[in-house]
Amino acid sequence: MTTRPTLPIPRLSLWLTHAGMLAEQVLRAFWPFFSIVMAILAALMLGLQDHVRVEMVWTLGGLAIIAVVVSLIWGVRRLHLPRRAEALMRLDESLPGRPIQALMDDQAIGAMDADSVALWHAHQARMAQRAAQAEAVKPDLRLADRDPYALRYSALLALVIAGLFGSFWRIGSVAEMTPGAAVAGQGPSWEGWVEPPRYTGLPTLYLADQSGDTLSVPQGSRITLRFYGEVGAHSLSETTSLSGTQGAADPEQEFVVERSGQMMIEGPAGRDWALSVIEDAPPQIAVADPAEAEAGGQMKLPFTATDDYGVVSGTAVIELDLPSVDRQYGLASDPEPRDRIEVQLPMPITGDRADFTEDLIEDFSEHPWAHLPVKITLMAQDAADQEGESAPYTTDLPARRFFDPLAAAVIEQRRDLLWTRDNATRVSQILRAVSHLPEEVFRSDTAYLRLRVTLRRLEAFNDYGLTQDQQEEIAQALWDLAIIIEEGTLADALERMRRAQERLTEAMKNGATDEEIAELMQELRDATQDYMRQLQRLAQENGEFDENQQGQNGESMQMTQNDLQRMMDRIQELMEQGRMAEAQQALEEFQQMMENMRVTQGQGQGQQSEGQQAMEGLAETLREQQGLSDQAFRDLQEQFNPGAQAGESQGNEGRNGGQGRGQSHEGQGGQGQGSDQAEGGGGQPSQESLADRQQALRDELGRQQQNLPGAGTPEGEAAREALGRAGRAMDGAEEALRSDDLAEAIDRQSEAMEALREGMRSLGEALAQNQQNQPGQGTQDGDMQANSRDPLGRSPGANGSIATDDNLLQGEDVYRRARELLDEIRRRTGETERPQIELEYLKRLLERF
């Protein structure tokens, strides 16, 4: 009898394979059971049973139990426990040559042949070596063919969510719904909620879920309790409301928490808590920076406000600080009673109101307290109607300043009249004295006549006793008169320029703010441009194309608009540096030069060169692109703040880019205005019309690129490359406009404008290079002649030498120019970052002179 050899199989591999087969059978048989159990646990842990009626809970519970039992029986019947032989076969199938089966076989033939027996033993030895290397076979746990809808994964996901956001202890709430429990659905039970004030943004708390003995709730929280079962089985006692509640047994209880205290529910499943009230602090508000006057006269007062839950509204109260008023002249009399000023503080439209900084901007220029000492008190209110108040802030009420002496005098008399009607006689006497010699004071007959009319009405009213309505009428007339005197109504460009220069001079003398000086400087720039255009138009009408540009005093003056801009930039720089005396002297020289100036169109019967035409065309394209960008920005504002555009447009009317009209930063130079208004409605073009205008502007730029001079030069190629970028940016802006993406369109339009400016700079360098390479041709606007003079104002000769002393500075100009040059040399000597060789040269100049 032949004995079979012991199978040399690793026990661990066989055991793991057997366990894997058992897991396969259990999973395939009981996956419905596991899925149902996980779904039931997830529902209980999430507390779904607390949100439906008790009848529904027991109905669904019965169905769930039936499903569990059925799935369990189905699994038991399908479960097949794997035997050891099956595990051996599974392991044998994973090995090459089926070595386990070979070890279990007997030799069928040749058992009597020694060679055959030896061969058989050798074969079994090899099979034993293979079987000894057997590794555990991984089980096949895939159930896709049995669970095509992945219901097991859905149940598992629900269980994971319940584990994260639910509680295992909620399963015990089902026991409270059993008929024999103390808190059955038919017996006593209770529910309660803590609802914080809505403005806090905090969630409502369910009291049954609060495991702690202490609750922290915001002040003003509303607690609602509901008692179920027999009336009187439960009662409420609390000490947190203003009146308190003791032993109340009504089915529904409600009170507001105003202070810390105790709350107790007495009865079956009763609870008690210590309520700690989180007090609502009043808002805090304060002035952030000193009040100042904007360029237009509006008061700007920065302030900060904070609150634990957010500020709802705010008010600024302005009162006259009478003890600080300089009681002399018209202010010596006691003032008439006047109500304090109350204005609403601006609140952030978006964002958090718990801590913010805003600016109060209001115009008090026409108020009787303008420029007088006042006390400003800021008040803030939160959602709980609590108010916070800032410390009184004392300042002179910022308002518009009048730099014309006559206008300032009229405004002062207006203030005295509004101070008290008892000053009416004094005001009329002063105004009559002012208008005694009008030719020495008034520059405008209109202003003089209006003053006389106002004066006669004031005297007539005063004869019968000035009423309050008459007082306001005269005050308004004096305000309008001061505006006319200050701003002027002159149509002549030279007079407007003179007025701008005089106002700027008065501002420098009176210590105006930087914003006021900047506005007056811009007014001077605009008036100077108007004057230059008027001279140019007169020259064209009269056929005057004087090449030498002789002024009224015979001086040869060749000046371009760029030169004028540089001079005005120098004046503004001096003012910003606080060198008012030098700025005033430079302004006087500028004024004298402008009055003696005549403008010519240059040589060639007034015809512009190709380069000038290209530069003007690109400048016009840049202005039109700026206008389109301004219109797109206004449309974007209208999307986020409907109705605000109409109000803003009134304040911006007449400024560049204000309404998309005209020739300066205003759309298509005024073209297509009627059609745009018809399309967009209310004067606002639609997105589609803006896209069409953008496309037309892109086509115009393409035409200008074809006729661009300076080809072949580095500067000309740089100009073409920059204009190419501008064209691509315009294409992007057009696409964004057609897609109604205004923000993207504005970005692309900004890129186009920047590329246009760069292209114009490169083109200007190309034209200047071309002019330098063509001596004898000169320039049409006299740039080269003006720029080639030496520091003393002399013109060079043919070979660079001085040909004549006719243009040599004379008198005080010689010493002034020498002093300026010496100051400049000293300034440069103090700049240590300059090259050493340059510093040594400057020191030698100082030693010599």
Side-chain angles (χ1 to χ4, degrees), residues 163-409:
L164 293 175
F165 302 103
S167 173
F168 184 78
W169 303 109
R170 286 191 176 183
I171 300 176
S173 65
V174 178
E176 300 175 358
M177 300 180 181
T178 59
V183 285
Q186 302 172 350
S189 182
W190 61 270
E191 286 184 302
W193 299 268
V194 180
E195 183 181 0
R198 188 177 300 274
Y199 62 83
T200 63
L202 299 176
T204 300
L205 301 178
Y206 186 61
L207 283 176
D209 293 340
Q210 308 306 313
S211 59
D213 295 332
T214 302
L215 290 180
S216 296
V217 296
Q219 186 177 10
S221 297
R222 184 175 299 275
I223 295 182
T224 304
L225 295 171
R226 291 177 183 173
F227 299 149
Y228 304 112
E230 183 180 354
V231 177
H234 290 83
S235 62
L236 169 67
S237 298
E238 55 86 14
T239 60
T240 59
S241 62
L242 294 179
S243 59
T245 303
Q246 297 296 329
D250 293 338
E252 185 168 340
Q253 300 289 332
E254 185 176 288
F255 62 93
V256 177
V257 178
E258 296 292 348
R259 59 194 176 191
S260 299
Q262 296 288 327
M263 183 183 70
M264 178 182 298
I265 300 175
E266 298 177 352
R271 294 280 305 275
D272 65 283
W273 293 272
L275 297 182
S276 176
V277 171
I278 303 174
E279 295 185 358
D280 188 353
Q284 302 290 327
I285 189 169
V287 175
D289 290 307
E292 58 183 14
E294 296 286 320
Q298 300 91 345
M299 180 191 75
K300 178 181 179 181
L301 179 63
F303 67 92
T304 59
T306 59
D307 186 65
D308 41 10
Y309 298 113
V311 178
V312 175
S313 61
T315 307
V317 178
I318 304 176
E319 298 176 305
L320 180 65
D321 188 7
L322 190 59
S324 301
V325 177
D326 187 8
R327 303 294 296 277
Q328 59 178 345
Y329 307 118
L331 303 180
S333 303
D334 293 334
E336 295 179 353
R338 192 171 297 275
D339 295 336
R340 64 183 187 178
I341 305 173
E342 293 188 8
V343 294
Q344 294 297 318
L345 295 177
M347 295 288 114
I349 299 176
T350 60
D352 187 15
R353 292 191 179 185
D355 188 356
F356 64 92
T357 300
E358 280 288 344
D359 295 331
L360 171 63
I361 299 179
E362 289 289 339
D363 191 355
F364 298 109
S365 300
E366 298 186 44
H367 197 275
W369 296 343
H371 300 295
L372 292 180
V374 294
K375 293 181 180 179
I376 302 178
T377 304
L378 304 181
M379 292 182 290
Q381 187 176 21
D382 62 8
D385 294 333
Q386 298 183 107
E387 289 189 352
E389 185 174 304
S390 69
Y393 172 69
T394 57
T395 182
D396 291 344
L397 186 61
R400 175 171 178 169
R401 299 181 61 182
F402 289 82
F403 299 105
D404 186 280
L406 180 58

Side-chain angles (χ1 to χ4, degrees), residues 754-765:
E754 183 61 29
L756 281 172
R757 295 187 184 98
E758 184 177 347
M760 293 176 64
R761 286 194 296 268
S762 299
L763 180 59
E765 294 174 359

